[in-house]
Amino acid sequence: MNKLALLFALIFSSITHAWTIDGVGDFKFEQASDRVYVMHGPIASPNEQNYGFMNNPIFIEGDNGLIVIDPGSSKFVGDNILKEVKKISSKPVVAVINTHVHGDHWLANHAIKDKYPDAKFYAHMNMIREAEYGEAQRWIKTYSDITDKAKGTIAVIPTYSIGHKDTLTIEGQKFIIHSPLPSSHSSSDIMIEHVNSKTLFTGDNAFTDRMGRFDGQSNMLDNIKILDYAKNLTIDTYVPGHGYSGAVTQAIDPYLNYLKIIEQESRKGYEEDLADYEIKPFADKHLAEYRDWSGYDEQLGKHINKMLLEIEALDL
Ligand SMILES: [Zn+2]
């Protein structure tokens, strides 16, 4: 190969190799387990530079079609995800499962509906209901305010409702839905077990490398319970909503232990009648290994505040 051809080959491979987001990184699907592919999205909060892309889109290769989980935050992100899917499989997308109502996970349904109008969309009943009653429009506005790339996204709200212990068999792939508690990260979470490969997609019940947020619909104590529940399933590979995947010690324990430290320090503080900001330095002492997680400084105080409210409510 002469130099010019080599140069072209290099440029070509860098184009086809991954979705490159300038200043953010290269994003492509990696095989996480048998037939399971995950694109580990940017870890920073959604912003203009990362086009609002921040979650872990997933696809599972079935016999004659693909099952997608959480394709991303906008039509634009979804189009790019589909381009990356194509590099691995030319099979059509036949089903989409969304883990919860937060827009970073599902607004890209629009891109899939556009290309594969026959695909079926699944989610927890609460997600469908909340999206229909205003959350869809609120999330579209949130993302359109963050980045122009999200503008024009239309809400494709799932129509198939799934809940705890439901099973789905799609193109030879078996899934069990786990949603044992009314709310944890949100009030519409499902965890999806891919039985064939012993993989669990936790949605935002688990994070690695970045901190979760807990809004008014969430329950931190139940998030702890649900991660203990997830640990007791027969699973080899855990895929969190954000951050790297791995065995239980890599992908579940870090966030679970963080939440347990927040609980323990908040309980101590509650006994001693301390305010959240007084508890914070004590908690921080035990959290050295989390200080480089994205959102740590921003979330720690909020997490203690929320945990205190939950502990107080139990005490009333
Ligand atoms: Zn999320």
Side-chain angles (χ1 to χ4, degrees), residues 88-205:
I88 294 171
S89 174
S90 57
K91 293 174 188 173
V93 177
V94 295
V96 177
I97 311 175
N98 296 139
T99 57
H100 62 299
V101 77
H102 296 159
D104 51 321
H105 296 261
W106 70 276
L107 291 175
N109 286 1
H110 182 188
I112 294 175
K113 182 81 184 166
D114 230 36
K115 282 212 174 63
Y116 304 102
D118 296 333
K120 291 180 174 176
F121 292 78
Y122 299 86
H124 191 280
M125 186 215 299
N126 290 354
M127 170 181 166
I128 297 173
R129 197 181 289 155
E130 289 172 21
E132 282 170 353
Y133 284 86
E135 284 298 280
Q137 292 318 311
R138 195 178 70 77
W139 281 107
I140 287 175
K141 181 169 181 341
T142 298
Y143 275 88
S144 301
D145 288 347
I146 291 169
T147 166
D148 282 349
K149 298 284 190 199
K151 288 185 175 148
T153 298
I154 294 167
V156 174
I157 300 171
T159 51
Y160 291 87
S161 157
I162 43 179
H164 188 48
K165 297 277 184 201
D166 282 348
T167 60
L168 293 171
T169 302
I170 307 169
E171 293 295 342
Q173 304 304 299
K174 185 173 174 193
F175 300 91
I176 303 175
I177 306 303
H178 298 279
S179 178
L181 295 167
S183 91
S184 45
H185 172 74
S186 73
S187 48
S188 59
D189 302 303
I190 52 169
M191 300 193 293
I192 304 154
E193 177 182 353
H194 179 231
V195 178
N196 308 50
S197 70
K198 294 194 180 136
T199 304
L200 187 76
F201 310 105
T202 66
D204 282 1
N205 287 312

Side-chain angles (χ1 to χ4, degrees), residues 40-44 206-212 240 242-245 250-251 254-255 289-296:
H40 294 96
I43 223 65
F207 288 78
T208 50
D209 254 359
R210 89 182 298 267
M211 284 301 163
H242 304 263
Y244 53 82
S245 308
Q250 298 161 303
Y255 189 56
E289 58 197 286
Y290 300 96
R291 286 183 200 135
D292 60 349
W293 280 31
S294 175
Y296 176 82

